Amino acid sequence: EGADWTETRVGTNAIGTALAEAAPVELLAGEHFEQGQHPWYCTASPVHDPRTGDLLGVIDVSGPALTLHPAIGALVETGRRLAESELWRHHQQGLDRLRRTAEPVVAGAGGPALLVDDDGWVAHSAGIVPGARIAAPVEGRILAVPGLGACLPERLTEGWLVRPADTARRVRLDLELGHAPLLRMRSGDVGWVRTVTPRHAGILVQLRTAGPAGLSAEALSRALYGDAEHLVTVRAEVSRLRRLLGAIVDTRPYRLAAGVDLSVHKGLEVGG
DNA sequence: ATAAACTCTGGAGTTCGCGA
DNA sequence: TCGCGAACTCCAGAGTTTAT
């Protein structure tokens, strides 16, 4: 850890040159820039992220030049392929998990839609035959998707629902306050129910009261606790709430997302 | 003079662990 | 299980420095 084998630091060497060229490199003895490495052979192959193509690192085998075996190159290349195939397998498992958890949302979207991960890899589709990948979704930014046209990505608990912007629906929330507050959500034809903690219910009530202007962490702390001494707690609670509800709650400042209509029932006092 | 690069800072998000 | 907060990371914007 801390060693620097970049070309700019030590000149031509298998690790640094493989990083610079993003290609396999084999150097023997005097092919190294540094004289101190002349007794060495070095064989390196760069590892790329199979999802993004990003250069992740290098697998390198180095040793005394006289011990160079003809199979070293194949060994390094095999290691590189194993690493990348393992990364790809992990990626596929992530898409499978996403498909299992969010498929009902796509199925009930009532029109063409895609379920994609944070990098735009398609886990599931309805009403369209997509490629393997679309542009990475960004909150609130229109995406051009072949076959779907302009789409507005919608954050789910995991992944994104992508469908034509003009069909993005309003989200209706019915919050039933009580011992175990219940949140009923409905977006278009899709509905689901979640229990939320009293504190989270309190946050939702305060955000609804604040309206589109929203609340800073300090203001939300004052609203919930009566003082501004609970900023860290407020951030943590909103973070958990957003993990539970996704893009229902926006930040900077904290507020209900555009298109979210929250109604509160039973009228019990909760969370300040 | 201007743009680019760098540094600093504060707000926000996340994770983890503790106590009730 | 819930509420809380410490400790960390991340990010964006402002300010400063450097290169052209």
Side-chain angles (χ1 to χ4, degrees):
Chain A
E1 186 176 1
D4 186 348
W5 286 89
T6 56
E7 276 194 327
T8 52
R9 185 59 64 93
V10 294
T12 301
N13 72 97
I15 296 171
T17 305
L19 283 173
E21 299 289 332
V25 170
E26 187 167 82
L27 295 177
L28 186 63
E31 293 173 332
H32 292 92
F33 177 78
E34 288 282 353
Q35 280 197 345
Q37 295 161 23
H38 285 182
W40 288 46
Y41 76 86
C42 297
T43 302
S45 187
V47 178
H48 291 86
D49 188 328
R51 301 168 306 156
T52 63
D54 289 346
L55 181 59
L56 298 178
V58 161
I59 293 179
D60 172 83
V61 174
S62 298
L66 293 178
T67 66
L68 175 61
H69 190 281
I72 291 293
L75 174 68
V76 169
E77 186 60 15
T78 301
R80 194 266 307 168
R81 290 187 185 198
L82 278 173
E84 290 181 353
S85 64
E86 183 66 17
L87 288 169
W88 184 252
R89 191 178 66 83
H90 189 261
H91 162 63
Q92 291 293 341
Q93 286 177 338
L95 289 182
D96 287 343
R97 192 170 52 249
L98 178 56
R99 191 176 300 118
R100 282 195 301 275
T101 56
E103 186 178 351
V105 178
V106 182
L114 297 176
L115 174 64
V116 303
D117 70 4
D118 290 343
D119 294 316
W121 286 93
V122 177
H124 187 65
S125 65
I128 178 179
V129 181
R133 189 184 187 189
I134 63 171
V138 177
E139 188 80 55
R141 188 175 298 173
I142 296 288
L143 270 181
V145 179
L148 281 184
C151 296
L152 190 62
E154 299 164 60
R155 194 75 172 108
L156 304 176
T157 306
E158 264 190 278
W160 298 80
L161 178 65
V162 177
R163 52 183 168 173
D166 57 354
T167 62
R169 316 278 171 81
R170 295 180 63 80
V171 177
R172 177 179 168 79
L173 304 177
D174 290 315
L175 181 61
E176 294 182 12
L177 299 180
H179 180 67
L182 206 60
L183 190 63
R184 302 180 192 280
M185 291 186 273
R186 176 153 289 282
S187 175
D189 303 327
V190 187
W192 63 104
V193 179
R194 286 232 165 84
T195 56
V196 295
T197 66
R199 178 58 76 208
H200 285 166
I203 290 172
L204 287 171
V205 169
Q206 294 299 337
L207 294 183
R208 186 190 72 143
T209 304
L215 295 169
S216 66
E218 181 180 334
L220 189 51
S221 173
R222 289 188 191 282
L224 293 171
Y225 302 94
D227 58 49
E229 305 302 313
H230 298 74
L231 293 182
V232 174
T233 300
V234 164
R235 289 176 195 147
E237 290 298 343
V238 173
S239 173
R240 292 178 194 119
L241 186 58
R242 281 167 52 80
R243 190 166 55 196
L244 185 72
L245 303 181
I248 299 297
V249 176
D250 272 347
T251 59
R252 299 171 191 255
Y254 296 136
R255 63 194 188 282
L256 293 176
V260 174
D261 177 22
L262 172 66
S263 57
V264 181
H265 305 288
K266 289 194 177 175
L268 297 179
E269 289 292 330
V270 169

